[in-house]
Amino acid sequence: MLFDSPNEPTDVKITFHFPNYEKSWFKLDNINFLEMSKNWNLEIVKEKENITMGLWPLKTYRNIDLQTVLTPDLLISGEKIMYTPQGFPTTKSTIQKNENKRLVISHAPSNSSKKGTESLILPALEILSKKYDFEIKLITGMAHDECLEIIKKSDIFIDQVLVGFYGNAALEAMSYGIPTVAYLDEKYLRLVGTSSKKIPIINTKYQNKEAIVDALEPFLKESTMLKNLSKKTKKWVTKHHDYQIIGKLWLWNYKKVIDVKLNWYQNLL
């Protein structure tokens, strides 16, 4: 990126660390738990080992003027890396008013080992299905637009329960006001100056199936609670992740980097 200085242009190096984009989806209605349970991975330790792509202070990072990541779990201790929230066109999405005869819970297991699909989410839903009547939709193997149509018609969306933070799929669901479930690790939230109490996500609090059951059960018992949570969800995601908000943050970041460079050149002259 080149910026004009009083005498000559100067290079400003910026590195972005993006998570993998979820491209493929499929849909499976009314899960047969007994059949699917044969293939479940019940060893959470193995799944957690696959979560990270590997965090280490790359030498390249040290030559960059602005180091940033989109999720706090990618922050490296001792490195000058900042967290910048993911920008999302939340204002283009309208809050949904679903009137499903049966409560619909959806989940997009694009990376089941990262999201805890097999080890935690499916076993938890199996437990809940014995007490409550609801429909489950697993989404994968389809076009992105089709995926969004299913999410929009859901009453609850389950994101990921192993990473300790919410992902892109959660932002998509929340932009439509769909109450969203995820595991929020307080240590990551502290790194970005917030807490789970300030984020209207249904937090599982712990990484086990019992915690997921406890988090979801109040809303299955009293589904009217979802309406109020839907409004809070839409309001929060618009305030903290809309493109216009994040765009202003990036303008500030760019200006800060540019000003440092310009001041250096002016002092040199």
Side-chain angles (χ1 to χ4, degrees):
M1 228 177 247
L2 295 178
F3 301 93
D4 290 332
S5 71
N7 292 280
E8 59 180 311
T10 177
D11 291 327
V12 177
K13 308 180 187 67
I14 302 175
T15 292
F16 296 89
H17 191 166
F18 290 100
N20 291 333
Y21 185 74
E22 298 158 354
K23 294 181 178 178
S24 59
W25 313 81
F26 77 85
K27 171 184 174 183
L28 179 61
D29 293 334
N30 301 320
I31 296 177
N32 183 327
F33 287 108
L34 294 178
E35 184 63 28
M36 291 193 68
S37 64
K38 296 176 183 178
N39 299 316
W40 288 354
N41 172 21
L42 301 180
E43 298 184 51
I44 186 174
V45 174
K46 288 185 178 181
E47 287 196 346
K48 291 178 72 174
E49 289 175 352
N50 294 327
I51 292 176
T52 178
M53 292 178 284
L55 297 180
W56 58 86
L58 299 177
K59 292 182 179 179
T60 306
Y61 283 3
R62 297 190 177 94
N63 298 320
I64 303 302
D65 295 289
L66 176 62
Q67 302 180 41
T68 181
V69 293
L70 295 178
T71 57
D73 57 299
L74 297 175
L75 293 171
I76 301 172
S77 178
E79 293 293 309
K80 293 181 179 179
I81 304 176
M82 65 181 292
Y83 161 71
T84 48
Q86 174 79 315
F88 201 81
T90 62
T91 53
K92 294 183 179 180
S93 307
T94 56
I95 194 167
Q96 301 297 292
K97 296 180 180 179
N98 295 319
E99 296 181 358
N100 299 316
K101 292 182 179 180
R102 299 175 68 201
L103 205 68
V104 176
I105 300 176
S106 63
H107 172 61
S110 53
N111 186 335
S112 60
S113 64
K114 181 178 180 180
K115 299 197 174 187
T117 302
E118 297 173 351
S119 63
L120 299 179
I121 295 173
L122 293 182
L125 291 177
E126 180 187 24
I127 293 172
L128 289 167
S129 70
K130 295 176 181 178
K131 296 176 63 176
Y132 304 98
D133 180 37
F134 57 88
E135 185 176 352
I136 301 159
K137 293 189 177 181
L138 293 185
I139 312 167
T140 190
M142 63 174 65
H144 186 243
D145 289 345
E146 295 177 84
C147 159
L148 288 182
E149 285 303 311
I150 294 176
I151 290 178
K152 286 162 60 176
K153 295 176 182 177
S154 302
D155 295 289
I156 298 174
F157 178 76
I158 301 178
D159 185 30
Q160 52 195 29
V161 295
L162 288 182
V163 176
F165 204 67
Y166 53 90
N168 289 344
L171 294 180
E172 289 180 324
M174 296 175 78
S175 70
Y176 290 104
I178 308 301
T180 299
V181 179
Y183 165 57
L184 302 178
D185 192 323
E186 292 294 343
K187 69 180 180 182
Y188 292 146
L189 298 181
R190 285 194 295 270
L191 289 174
V192 299
T194 189
S195 68
S196 58
K197 294 180 180 179
K198 296 180 180 180
I199 304 176
I201 283 179
I202 302 172
N203 185 13
T204 63
K205 297 183 180 179
Y206 304 101
Q207 294 172 310
N208 57 57
K209 62 184 180 183
E210 292 78 16
I212 299 174
V213 170
D214 291 343
L216 278 170
E217 192 161 20
F219 297 94
L220 298 180
K221 280 183 178 179
E222 189 55 66
S223 60
T224 55
M225 294 170 57
L226 293 170
K227 186 176 181 180
N228 186 42
L229 181 57
S230 175
K231 293 178 180 177
K232 291 181 178 178
T233 296
K234 175 63 176 178
K235 183 178 180 180
W236 181 87
V237 77
T238 300
K239 180 179 178 180
H240 294 278
H241 285 279
D242 188 68
Y243 274 166
Q244 296 183 38
I245 301 296
I246 303 305
K248 291 178 181 178
L249 171 63
W250 275 107
L251 285 174
W252 183 85
N253 285 335
Y254 290 145
K255 186 177 185 302
K256 186 177 179 181
V257 173
I258 295 168
D259 286 348
V260 170
K261 284 290 185 179
L262 291 180
N263 288 336
W264 185 86
Y265 275 102
Q266 288 171 352
N267 291 333
L268 179 65
L269 292 174

